[in-house]
Amino acid sequence: MTNAIPKAVLIGMPGAGKTRIGQDVASVLNVEFRDSDAEIEARERMRIPRIFEERGEKEFRAIESDVILGFMHGYEGVLSLGGGAPMTESVCDALERYVDEGGVVAYLDADPNEAIARASRSGNRPLLADGAARKWRRLYAERRPVFEHLANLIVHTKGKTPMQAAQNIADTANERVVHVDGAEPYDVRIGSHVVNHLADVLGDKPVKIAMIHTTPVQRHSDRVRTLLRRAGYDVSDITIPDAEAGKTIEVANGIWKRLGEEGFTRSDAVVGLGGGAATDLAGFVAATWMRGIRYVNCPTSLLAMVDASTGGKTGINTEAGKNLVGSFYTPAGVLADLTTLGTLPNDIFVEGLGEVAKSGFIMDTEILRILEDNAEALRTFDPADITPELESVIAELIERTVRVKAHHVSADLKEKGLREFLNYGHTMGHAIEKLEHFRWRHGNAVAVGMVYAAELANILGYIDRDLVDYHRSLLGSLGLPTSWNEGSFDDVLALMHKDKKARGKMLRFVVLDRPGHVIHLDNPPADAVEEAFRRIQK
C-alpha cells in the first residue's frame, strides 16, 4: 500500500485562479495536475451545472467528495478543488489529515473584484448563476474562515503573476519540516525561500523586532528587513562582528543597552540572522532580556542550519573557554533558507560538513553513505553553481542532521544525559578552537576531534582500526582536516578538564562502540588520552 500523497492541494473561491496556478505549480514540480471539477465531469459525463440541475447540490457534493478522497492517497501530483469542496465535512476532514501527514494545502486568497470578474465570465458556476457579485461575497464570508483554518499556506495573489504564485506554492511543497518536541516545541523548516514564513512564526504579538546579523549577510538582512516591515513590525537593525568575535559579553552588553534605549518589552522579539555565532548570540540576548523574549533563528550557513540554530543552546565565549556562559532557551522556530547558501564561500560550506558527518557517525549512518556518494560535489561546492540535484542532496543532509539533533534535544534539552552524545568530537574540537584563538572554524575542529575520539576508542578496544581509518578517509574526502600539529598536550589536557562534560577532576568523552552508536567514556587511562593526541599529530 502506497503512502504517496499529493504534492499540493489548492483551495479558494471561484475565480481565484486555482486551475491556472495549479497547472503552473505542477509544471515547476514536474508532476501531474488534476482539477476535481474536471474529474467529476469526466466521471459523470456531464457538465457540473447539469449535475446540479438534475441531481441537486447534495448529490453533487457526495460525488465531489468521493472524487477528491480518491486522490488524497496514492496520487503524487497537484490537485485543485472546486470552491465549495472544503465545506463538505468529509473533504474538510481529509484535508486536515493530509496536512498532518505533511501535505501542503494552499489557499489562494484573491482580490474579490478580480475573482468576481473571472468567475462571472465562466459559464460553469451554478452557485453564481444570477447576481454573481452578491452571491460571491456571501459565499466568501461563509468559506473564508474554513479556508484559513485548513490552509497551511495562504497565497495572496493580488499583484502576483500566476507563475509567481505557483513558485511560492512549489517552494513550500518542496520544504522539509522537522518538528522538535519538548516543553516548548517548534519546527525547523528547510527549503528555498522559507524565510517568507518569518512573520507567521513571529506571530502578531511582537511590535518591535531586533534583527541581529553580521555584515557578510547584508543581502539577506535587507530581504528580511523588508519582509518584517511589510508585515507591520518596527525593526531595529543591529549589526555585530562576524564569527566568534561577535560572541562576547561586550557585544551582548551593547545590544542590551540598545534594547533598553528603544523600549523593548517582554512582548517584543529577536530575529537572529547569520552563521552559528550570530544565532548563538541572538538567542543569548533573547534568553536574558527581561528573562526571556520570543526569538526566531534564520541561519545562513550550513553549520548554523545543522547545529547552532536548533536545540536551544545559546551562549557567548569568555577567556575561560567557548560557550561556557549561556542558557538553554528554545526558539519559536528555525527557518533554514537554502537560497542563502548561494552566497556561502566554499570553505565555510565545507566546515559545516563536519557537523553533518558527526550526526552520521553517532546515529544516522545513511548520512555517511550520502556523504560518500556525493563527496566530490560537496567538497568542490560552488555557490554560483548549485544544481537542483546538489540542492536536493544538501536539503536531505540538513533534514537528516536536524532529525538526529531533534531526537537528542527533545528528550534532554539541558544536556544532562542523551544530549551529550551530540558532543562527539567536541572535547578535542573545543580545545583546538581555544588554542587557535578561534581562527580554526568549528566544523574543522570537530572533524579533527572526531578522529581523536576514534583513535581513543580504538586504543581502548571499543572500535577496530578500519573504523578509525574510515573517519580519516571520509572526512578527508570532504575537504575537512583530520590532524592538528599545534599546541602541547598539557595545554589540551587543561582545556579538556574545563569541558562542559567533565565531572569534577574526571575527564569524560563521547566515543563510538560501533557505527551509528555512541557511549560515554569516563576517566579513561591518562596514557591512552595522550597516545590518541599523538596520533592526530601525524
Side-chain angles (χ1 to χ4, degrees):
M1 183 176 179
T2 181
N3 291 320
I5 59 174
K7 291 288 285 184
V9 176
L10 278 59
I11 62 175
M13 288 294 292
K18 299 185 295 295
T19 300
R20 168 65 190 278
I21 292 172
Q23 290 170 336
D24 286 344
V25 174
S27 176
V28 172
L29 296 175
N30 194 29
V31 296
E32 189 179 35
F33 170 75
R34 296 291 185 91
D35 181 295
S36 67
D37 283 351
E39 295 299 316
I40 292 167
E41 292 185 336
R43 184 175 115 168
E44 299 302 313
R45 297 183 180 180
M46 66 175 69
R47 301 277 286 171
I48 287 174
R50 187 177 164 195
I51 299 174
F52 264 77
E53 180 182 346
E54 294 185 3
R55 304 184 192 178
E57 183 178 358
K58 183 176 181 181
E59 185 169 344
F60 169 78
R61 295 302 178 195
I63 296 169
E64 181 180 56
S65 174
D66 188 53
V67 167
I68 291 170
L69 267 55
F71 281 103
M72 296 311 291
H73 285 91
Y75 174 67
E76 297 181 273
V78 174
L79 180 64
S80 170
L81 305 190
M87 305 304 289
T88 302
E89 185 176 358
S90 56
V91 174
C92 183
D93 291 344
L95 291 175
E96 288 179 335
R97 290 193 298 271
Y98 167 68
V99 169
D100 288 342
E101 293 169 352
V104 175
V105 173
Y107 164 37
L108 302 186
D109 186 19
D111 175 73
N113 293 328
E114 292 178 1
I116 289 168
R118 281 195 295 265
S120 299
R121 290 194 294 269
S122 170
N124 206 30
R125 319 239 185 220
L127 293 183
L128 300 179
D130 298 303
R134 177 177 53 81
K135 290 185 177 181
W136 192 98
R137 292 184 187 278
R138 177 177 58 78
L139 291 172
Y140 181 59
E142 293 173 1
R143 295 174 180 179
R144 183 178 182 181
V146 176
F147 293 160
E148 291 180 342
H149 165 73
L150 290 172
N152 54 359
L153 174 65
I154 298 177
V155 180
H156 303 287
T157 60
K158 185 175 183 179
K160 289 187 175 77
T161 66
M163 183 53 77
Q164 286 172 331
Q167 188 66 59
N168 190 349
I169 297 168
D171 286 341
T172 302
N174 281 329
E175 287 174 8
R176 299 161 185 257
V177 181
V178 179
H179 185 69
V180 184
D181 282 322
E184 297 179 352
Y186 58 95
D187 288 334
V188 180
R189 303 190 77 93
I190 304 154
S192 296
H193 307 109
V194 293
V195 75
N196 291 335
H197 295 294
L198 182 54
D200 294 330
V201 179
L202 284 167
D204 56 8
K205 187 178 179 181
V207 176
K208 298 186 181 71
I209 304 293
M211 185 178 69
I212 299 174
H213 64 95
T214 57
T215 301
V217 299
Q218 189 69 47
R219 179 192 304 181
H220 311 309
S221 65
D222 288 345
R223 178 181 169 202
V224 170
R225 187 187 310 106
T226 299
L227 287 170
L228 289 170
R229 288 179 174 163
R230 189 180 297 158
Y233 299 112
D234 180 5
V235 182
S236 293
D237 197 303
I238 301 175
T239 306
I240 62 171
D242 192 27
E244 300 297 328
K247 282 179 60 175
T248 67
I249 190 65
E250 291 79 15
V251 173
N253 189 53
I255 298 174
W256 289 325
K257 181 179 179 182
R258 183 159 169 191
L259 296 183
E261 291 171 348
E262 298 185 10
F264 270 72
T265 69
R266 193 169 285 172
S267 64
D268 296 316
V270 168
V271 170
L273 178 70
T279 58
D280 275 357
L281 178 78
F284 180 66
V285 168
T288 50
W289 184 253
M290 295 200 169
R291 297 186 177 90
I293 63 175
R294 192 173 181 85
Y295 83 107
V296 176
N297 276 332
C298 298
T300 60
S301 71
L302 178 62
L303 181 68
M305 290 178 184
V306 300
D307 184 31
S309 65
T310 301
K313 271 189 179 181
T314 75
I316 56 174
N317 303 329
T318 66
E319 286 299 316
K322 182 174 179 177
N323 293 331
L324 295 180
V325 174
S327 67
F328 294 97
Y329 191 64
T330 56
V334 177
L335 302 174
D337 195 323
L338 298 181
T339 63
T340 64
L341 299 179
T343 59
L344 205 62
N346 172 271
D347 60 331
I348 298 179
F349 175 83
V350 166
E351 73 138 338
L353 297 173
E355 284 285 350
V356 174
K358 178 205 73 178
S359 293
F361 281 120
I362 70 171
M363 182 176 165
D364 183 1
T365 54
E366 180 64 12
I367 290 174
L368 303 179
R369 186 198 64 78
I370 296 170
L371 290 173
E372 281 185 62
D373 291 348
N374 298 278
E376 182 176 359
L378 293 167
R379 183 183 68 252
T380 59
F381 172 84
D382 179 355
D385 185 27
I386 304 176
T387 64
E389 294 76 19
L390 181 59
E391 182 176 291
S392 180
V393 168
I394 294 169
E396 182 175 0
L397 288 171
I398 294 171
E399 180 186 9
R400 285 182 173 275
T401 304
V402 172
R403 287 195 186 282
V404 171
K405 187 155 192 178
H407 168 78
H408 290 81
V409 305
S410 294
D412 180 25
L413 174 65
K414 297 191 176 180
E415 202 168 42
K416 295 179 179 178
L418 181 67
R419 183 170 182 162
E420 283 191 335
F421 290 147
L422 292 171
N423 286 318
Y424 184 57
H426 284 56
T427 303
M428 172 60 72
H430 282 164
I432 291 172
E433 287 181 273
K434 182 70 170 66
L435 291 171
E436 291 284 356
H437 304 288
F438 300 110
R439 289 188 296 267
W440 266 54
R441 293 197 170 274
H442 177 71
N444 293 344
V446 167
V448 176
M450 287 190 285
V451 176
Y452 173 84
E455 293 284 9
L456 181 59
N458 173 248
I459 291 167
L460 297 175
Y462 289 99
I463 61 174
D464 60 23
R465 189 72 221 168
D466 286 346
L467 186 49
V468 181
D469 292 341
Y470 179 65
H471 276 68
R472 291 183 182 275
S473 63
L474 176 64
L475 296 171
S477 73
L478 296 170
L480 291 160
T482 57
S483 62
W484 182 61
N485 298 307
E486 304 296 329
S488 70
F489 176 68
D490 288 342
D491 289 339
V492 168
L493 187 63
L495 287 170
M496 284 181 173
H497 276 289
K498 293 180 181 180
D499 182 75
K500 294 187 293 297
K501 292 185 300 301
R503 300 293 186 268
K505 295 183 179 180
M506 182 179 74
L507 284 179
R508 200 165 194 236
F509 294 89
V510 171
V511 298
L512 298 183
D513 62 356
R514 61 182 185 273
H517 191 264
V518 280
I519 58 172
H520 281 118
L521 177 61
D522 294 341
N523 211 23
D527 58 343
V529 174
E530 184 167 2
E531 172 59 22
F533 175 74
R534 301 300 171 206
R535 291 186 180 184
I536 66 165
Q537 291 190 304
K538 296 176 182 178

